[in-house]
Amino acid sequence: MATTTPLTPPDQHREPPPLLGGACWWALCAAAALGLAGCSSLGPHRVWGTAAGAGYLAAALLASRGRSPRTAGAVAVTGAVLLPLLWLLAVDRAQLEVRVVARSAGLLLAEGTPYLQHPVVPEDFNPYLPGMAVFGLPEAVAGPGPLTDPRLWMGAAFLGAFALGLPARARSAPLRWIAACPLVALPLAVGGVDLPVAGLMCLGLALAGQGRAGAAGLVLGAAGALKWTAWPAIPVALALLAAASRSAGRPADRGEGRRADRAAARCGLVALLTAAVLVLPAALRDPGAFRAHVVDFPLGLTDAVSSAASPLPGHLLATHVPGGRTLALLLLGVSALLIALSLLVRPPATTADAAARLALGLLLAIAFMPASRFGYLVHPLVLAVWAAVREKPGHPWLLRVRKQVSR
């Protein structure tokens, strides 16, 4: 018969599986990085691909010779993050998003809004919510320089929030692995606005799982003031906080259920107020510019069309199938509805469950959005890794099934 036994302590501290820490994994990362270096038309991406490819190949060589995953991972991080970041900072090269964030901070200080009044070309548009401009404030105040570059502050916010959302005893290895992963290492080096959003979502869910409703609402509200992609984390956190009331079936537990409901309401209220305080002043300063930048431009309703599109299902449907845009939006709506129903019918019981549910929802959204890009996949990736690290050893996900033949 089949029995389940919890992982033993040695199992809990075993080395990462070969796919995630061995020579094959680093070789695959090297192939992806060198492929980007050879195919990309963007200078910062070519720099990253060349440096990261060398770092990944060195890590693969070390792993094949039996060196520890920690050593191989450190070499991979050096080649994929530190070296290209330092070089790009020295020559003042970055992805377009970095310049957009820096410009938005200067506009915010000078005019009270981070948005140009009459954008013409795609580079003029700032599709992010006003809170994103905070990462450009050091450069706007102190001037351009390696230490004021927005990508440094965005990377620090991501790594800090991701780490704070993890148990203190289990931070080093996950940070090293996630930083070395190509989907994360690339934006860390060239600049990417999605990383701080993903990190704050992890931290917000961690605080909600601890029952700290007010702090969770504050963090998730701050994330919601950066990009629209953070808003799905709020209902997931509310479902996590209210999960206690779902299980409060006995009369003695009704008080606990009411407290859980109040905690969820407090989290939602704090999140909305935080986002409103950070977003509304700039939005009301010039409502027309706000709508053009953060609503019309991302939806493709302006004369200037965003280049943020990758061959994902939604984009392929919208581009190659008659009526495909409507079909893609319908699939997007159905997937959102199914995730919402799952939160109501079976709310997440742990922070890991909540992160996994949010990762699935964002993955479906990225897949079916008519205009999306592969870089957005950093959201479900970060959440999935964070959920795996947060998972308790005794949880069914981490049980080992042994089949024994009984006579």
Side-chain angles (χ1 to χ4, degrees):
M1 63 179 178
T3 61
T4 60
T5 58
L7 293 175
T8 61
D11 293 323
Q12 295 174 25
H13 295 90
R14 66 186 185 278
E15 297 292 339
L19 178 62
L20 300 182
C24 291
W25 166 250
W26 297 127
L28 181 63
C29 292
L34 294 174
L36 181 64
C39 299
S40 178
S41 60
L42 301 176
H45 285 195
R46 293 197 298 269
V47 170
W48 177 84
T50 303
Y56 290 138
L57 286 175
L61 180 61
L62 290 173
S64 67
R65 294 185 173 182
R67 301 299 293 269
S68 69
R70 174 179 296 181
T71 301
V75 170
V77 170
T78 300
V81 180
L82 296 180
L83 292 181
L85 175 60
L86 292 175
W87 174 259
L88 291 170
L89 287 173
V91 298
D92 194 23
R93 299 289 301 277
Q95 199 163 261
L96 176 62
E97 287 88 335
V98 176
R99 302 279 68 86
V100 170
V101 171
R103 184 188 65 210
S104 69
L107 288 171
L108 181 64
L109 293 179
E111 303 179 13
T113 174
Y115 307 109
L116 289 172
Q117 190 172 12
H118 300 293
V120 178
V121 296
E123 291 77 12
D124 292 339
F125 284 89
N126 172 17
Y128 317 123
L129 291 173
M132 190 66 71
V134 71
F135 297 111
L137 290 178
E139 181 171 319
V141 173
L147 297 181
T148 61
D149 192 285
R151 85 191 91 175
L152 289 181
W153 301 97
M154 291 189 287
F158 162 67
L159 294 174
F162 185 87
L164 287 175
L166 293 174
R169 65 184 183 279
R171 289 175 180 170
S172 177
L175 274 177
R176 186 171 59 249
W177 189 90
I178 199 69
C181 180
L183 270 177
V184 175
L186 174 61
L188 280 175
V190 305
V193 297
D194 294 299
L195 289 179
V197 179
L200 288 175
M201 286 194 291
C202 293
L203 179 57
L205 291 179
L207 293 170
Q210 297 168 6
R212 299 170 62 182
L218 188 66
V219 170
L220 293 175
L226 301 180
K227 285 192 73 175
W228 294 118
T229 48
W231 284 84
I234 297 177
V236 174
L238 300 186
L240 177 61
L241 284 164
S245 65
R246 292 278 180 170
S247 60
R250 300 187 304 274
D253 295 330
R254 289 176 184 171
E256 183 69 23
R258 285 193 294 270
R259 284 193 293 272
D261 287 337
R262 287 196 297 270
R266 184 167 63 256
C267 176
L269 181 61
V270 171
L272 292 177
L273 288 176
T274 302
V277 167
L278 296 175
V279 171
L280 285 182
L284 296 178
R285 177 70 174 79
D286 192 340
F290 177 81
R291 176 178 174 179
H293 284 265
V294 305
V295 178
D296 294 345
F297 180 69
L299 293 178
L301 302 178
T302 59
D303 293 334
V305 179
S306 171
S307 60
S310 297
L312 293 165
H315 178 68
L316 295 176
L317 285 173
T319 305
H320 301 292
V321 177
R325 184 180 182 85
T326 301
L327 178 59
L329 292 175
L330 179 62
L331 291 172
L332 180 63
V334 169
S335 62
L337 179 62
L338 291 176
I339 293 295
L341 288 175
S342 75
L343 293 176
L344 293 173
V345 174
R346 190 173 181 180
T350 66
T351 53
D353 292 337
R357 195 81 56 90
L358 179 58
L360 176 61
L362 290 174
L363 181 63
L364 292 173
I366 293 166
F368 294 130
M369 285 172 59
S372 184
R373 58 183 175 87
F374 289 122
Y376 296 159
L377 293 173
V378 72
H379 291 292
L381 169 69
V382 168
L383 286 163
V385 171
W386 187 80
V389 177
R390 291 280 311 192
E391 196 67 57
K392 294 180 180 179
H395 192 275
W397 286 9
L398 299 179
L399 292 181
R400 176 179 296 162
V401 178
R402 292 190 312 192
K403 292 185 178 181
Q404 299 175 342
V405 180
S406 58
R407 297 181 179 180

